[in-house]
Amino acid sequence: MMERIILIETSTSLCSAALAEDGAVVGEKISDEPRSHASKTAVFVKELLDGRGISVADCSAVAVSKGPGSYTGLRVGVSTAKGLCFGAGIPLISVGTLDTLVWQAITEGSVPEGCRYIVPMIDARRMEVYTGVFTPDGRQVGPTVSSIVTPDSFSDLLAEGPVLFTGDGAMKCKDVITGEGAHFEECHPKASSMLRPAMQALESGSFEDTAYFEPFYLKEFLTTTSKKKLF
């Protein structure tokens, strides 16, 4: 039986969905339209399935970005993925946003020669990023953290050799992290780049509890009270 995975990535301002068959991406839909996640995610999935003449029930699993990233974007993606899984009775897979960025760099050939580490960065606010440390073969060797970037950040990694900083939070750090060997790539995670970790999860049976799964926000969602008077 052909293994098909629906891939959904909504953790940043980019909204994307992809379809993979037997370990290869056969279609992808992407939108960078602001605040379009809620209106486009499910539509993208339907268009991809219709294009292959199949339904959700013909798929082996749904993989969704689990974060860290945008609170609203993650909620939309996870809600859509859960609905697909419940409706078709197929398992749910979660893929970390940082893992997706790392595999995107690896598969798209962005890793510089002699690179010692890949440091994916999701933009938070001001000089804060969600980040972690990975080896060039995609293995995470440091915890996923929320970090305020300073001139001393990652100096220990740069002392060992070239480091690739990648993601939508990378370029704002370029003027701060100036150590020799620092390489920067501005990009957003894409659904197609979830394929490798999603396939690994499918093959090992590493599924989430669809009913109780929640995104990994890393930080609590903060709300503010408007100072404007309504009356």
Side-chain angles (χ1 to χ4, degrees):
M1 178 181 176
M2 181 176 291
E3 290 185 335
R4 296 188 178 97
I5 306 178
I6 297 169
L7 306 163
I8 297 173
E9 219 308 322
T10 58
S11 64
T12 67
S13 60
L14 195 72
C15 174
S16 64
L19 179 66
E21 294 181 349
D22 285 344
V25 173
V26 295
E28 184 171 31
K29 299 283 185 177
I30 297 175
S31 173
D32 59 2
E33 182 181 332
R35 296 179 291 278
S36 66
H37 298 60
S39 62
K40 292 190 178 295
T41 304
V43 174
F44 281 172
V45 172
K46 184 178 187 305
E47 290 175 346
L48 289 165
L49 294 175
D50 288 348
R52 305 296 286 184
I54 59 175
S55 68
V56 181
D58 294 313
C59 299
S60 306
V62 178
V64 67
S65 52
K66 69 176 179 180
S70 159
Y71 180 90
T72 302
L74 290 172
R75 296 296 295 181
V76 170
V78 169
S79 296
T80 302
K82 283 187 171 186
L84 294 171
C85 290
F86 274 126
I90 58 177
L92 176 67
I93 292 169
S94 70
V95 177
T97 311
L98 301 182
D99 296 87
T100 300
L101 281 171
V102 169
W103 282 105
Q104 191 162 305
I106 294 172
T107 56
E108 295 185 356
S110 303
V111 183
E113 185 176 353
C115 181
R116 294 285 294 174
Y117 298 101
I118 301 175
V119 178
M121 291 178 160
I122 297 294
D123 190 18
R125 57 179 65 184
R126 300 185 180 88
M127 289 308 298
E128 185 175 9
V129 294
Y130 303 139
T131 188
V133 179
F134 292 72
T135 58
D137 61 357
R139 184 167 48 90
Q140 187 165 3
V141 292
T144 299
V145 297
S146 174
S147 178
I148 303 294
V149 176
T150 70
D152 293 327
S153 296
F154 309 104
S155 58
D156 56 333
L157 303 183
L158 288 166
E160 297 185 35
V163 176
L164 173 64
F165 298 94
T166 183
D168 67 345
M171 292 307 293
K172 73 177 184 181
C173 302
K174 188 173 184 179
D175 292 335
V176 180
I177 302 173
T178 58
E180 184 179 355
H183 298 261
F184 298 87
E185 178 190 39
E186 180 81 9
C187 66
H188 291 78
K190 297 183 297 186
S192 56
S193 299
M194 301 169 63
L195 179 59
R196 176 67 178 270
M199 285 297 299
Q200 291 175 338
L202 180 64
E203 292 167 1
S204 64
S206 300
F207 305 131
E208 301 290 351
D209 185 317
T210 305
Y212 294 102
F213 175 72
E214 290 289 332
F216 174 47
Y217 298 117
L218 189 58
K219 292 178 65 178
E220 291 296 325
F221 179 65
L222 301 177
T223 59
T224 59
T225 302
S226 175
K227 294 181 180 179
K228 296 181 179 180
K229 293 184 178 180
L230 298 179
F231 303 101

